[in-house]
Amino acid sequence: MTLTGPAVVQAAGAVCWRETPSGIELLVIHRGDRADVSIPKGKVDPGETPPQTAVREIAEETGLAIALGAPLGSTEYTMPGGREKIVHYWSAEVSDEAIAGSTFVPNKEVAAVEWLSVKAARAALSYELDRDVLDRFSARAKARTIRTFPIIVLRHGRAVPPASWDGPDSTRPLLHRGLEQSRNVAPAIAAWAPEKLISSTAARCLATIEPVAALTGLPIKQSTGISQDAWEDGAARVHKAVRKRLAAGVSVVLCSHGPVIPEIIAETAALTNTPLDAPLRRAGMLSTSEFTVMHVSSEHPDAPLVAVETHGPAFL
């Protein structure tokens, strides 16, 4: 069941983990104001998307700068006042550098943070729903699929309609609405800390990915191989582009067009031996400025995708 509507409180968090000589350890927080132990999480602020919230809440509650991994699903429950709440979760590997740079100071909300073994963390958590999320993480750990890299496929924002534009199709600019969409969705994409930005050569794609470049400080590489012009001319090089990204094994954003994106999804499915089922096909049918994140196993990039999720701006 997916909860929607004004009465629903949306929240997001992450199972933060690190690999040590003695095994995987998880981060739990001791909340002083509630006298409990939980997975770090918090409410989605107005104008935010859940991925953005998860990164912000981890930083605020634990002092750690993280990048999201694959999703771990959600929990849903009724709050004491009668409102419904849904909490979205991801895994997040925490680097030694992030731990060394932590800015955490005990405060009224979070009295302490603690790294524990998976077994000890499960015993320490105060709530069954948190243990359910941890169990999902544990299943991934046993399957050796917790370490992943994302291929993020972004459709450009809303552009000037073709009938209203006299120049070449590739020069059609974003509408003001499209520019707003692109700025709004950029922090959500940045939650996965992309290391490479690749865009179709079309003006509307370049303008869509530019806010991501501004947030991450990354250059934008232009590719005719994923452009709509090349696709319409039968000259697209989607297979080559996807194969290269899988071989590189780093987080990447590919900004492209409505007709091209299903092919990017299909090529990724084929190269990772993932069935191209109905949900995966739907993940390729993106509205303007929506994006799909395909999580690839770092250890076995030719194995089936670990998870697939789709997001868009906080407003439509």
Side-chain angles (χ1 to χ4, degrees):
M1 176 178 63
T2 299
L3 302 176
T4 59
V8 176
V9 176
Q10 299 276 342
V15 174
C16 298
W17 65 279
R18 66 179 182 182
E19 196 162 22
T20 73
S22 58
I24 292 173
E25 292 184 343
L26 306 181
L27 187 69
V28 299
I29 62 171
H30 297 258
R31 298 192 294 186
D33 58 343
R34 302 188 186 184
D36 62 13
V37 179
S38 74
I39 297 171
K41 56 185 174 291
K43 289 193 296 185
V44 174
D45 283 344
E48 279 188 336
T49 57
Q52 179 185 358
T53 300
V55 171
R56 175 182 58 76
E57 284 290 339
I58 300 304
E60 290 179 359
E61 294 193 340
T62 72
L64 295 170
I66 64 158
L68 297 183
L72 291 170
S74 61
T75 60
E76 302 168 8
Y77 60 95
T78 303
M79 300 171 65
R83 298 182 70 185
E84 301 298 324
K85 186 172 184 177
I86 178 169
V87 188
H88 308 273
Y89 290 97
W90 287 264
S91 62
E93 184 175 9
V94 182
S95 66
D96 292 340
E97 292 77 14
I99 293 171
S102 173
T103 59
F104 175 76
V105 176
N107 56 76
K108 181 179 178 181
E109 182 179 358
V110 181
V113 299
E114 185 178 14
W115 288 98
L116 298 171
S117 68
V118 176
K119 182 178 180 180
R122 194 181 193 285
L125 290 170
S126 300
Y127 304 106
E128 189 63 32
L129 288 176
D130 280 359
R131 288 190 284 273
D132 290 343
V133 175
L134 191 152
D135 289 344
R136 297 172 203 165
F137 173 87
S138 296
R140 291 252 178 94
K142 290 177 182 177
R144 301 181 65 83
T145 57
I146 53 170
R147 185 171 283 121
T148 59
F149 65 92
I151 295 179
I152 303 169
V153 188
L154 168 66
R155 185 179 177 185
H156 63 74
R158 190 168 300 173
V160 172
S164 303
W165 187 249
D166 293 331
D169 182 76
S170 63
T171 65
R172 279 196 291 129
L174 295 182
L175 293 167
H176 178 71
R177 179 64 165 172
L179 292 169
E180 287 183 332
Q181 289 176 322
S182 301
R183 288 191 293 267
N184 184 273
V185 81
I189 295 171
W192 281 276
E195 299 174 60
K196 190 85 172 179
L197 305 181
I198 301 174
S199 173
S200 157
T201 50
R204 55 193 182 276
C205 287
L206 291 168
T208 297
I209 203 171
E210 193 282 328
V212 182
L215 278 178
T216 60
L218 295 171
I220 301 170
K221 180 181 178 181
Q222 299 186 38
S223 171
T224 57
I226 59 171
S227 69
Q228 185 164 331
D229 282 349
W231 182 82
E232 290 177 348
D233 292 341
R237 297 187 297 275
V238 174
H239 176 83
K240 179 180 178 181
V242 173
R243 185 179 59 194
K244 186 174 182 179
R245 298 329 316 162
L246 289 171
V250 299
S251 52
V252 63
V253 181
L254 302 173
C255 187
S256 190
H257 308 261
V260 185
I261 287 172
E263 189 170 337
I264 295 175
I265 300 291
E267 287 290 353
T268 305
L271 290 169
T272 58
N273 297 293
T274 304
L276 188 59
D277 56 14
L280 191 53
R281 289 181 187 276
R282 284 196 295 271
M285 306 302 292
L286 300 178
S287 298
T288 54
S289 74
E290 287 187 332
F291 65 94
T292 285
V293 188
M294 295 179 285
H295 296 275
V296 183
S297 168
S298 296
E299 291 190 40
H300 302 287
D302 58 346
L305 293 170
V306 174
V308 178
E309 55 186 313
T310 298
H311 301 277
F315 59 88
L316 295 177

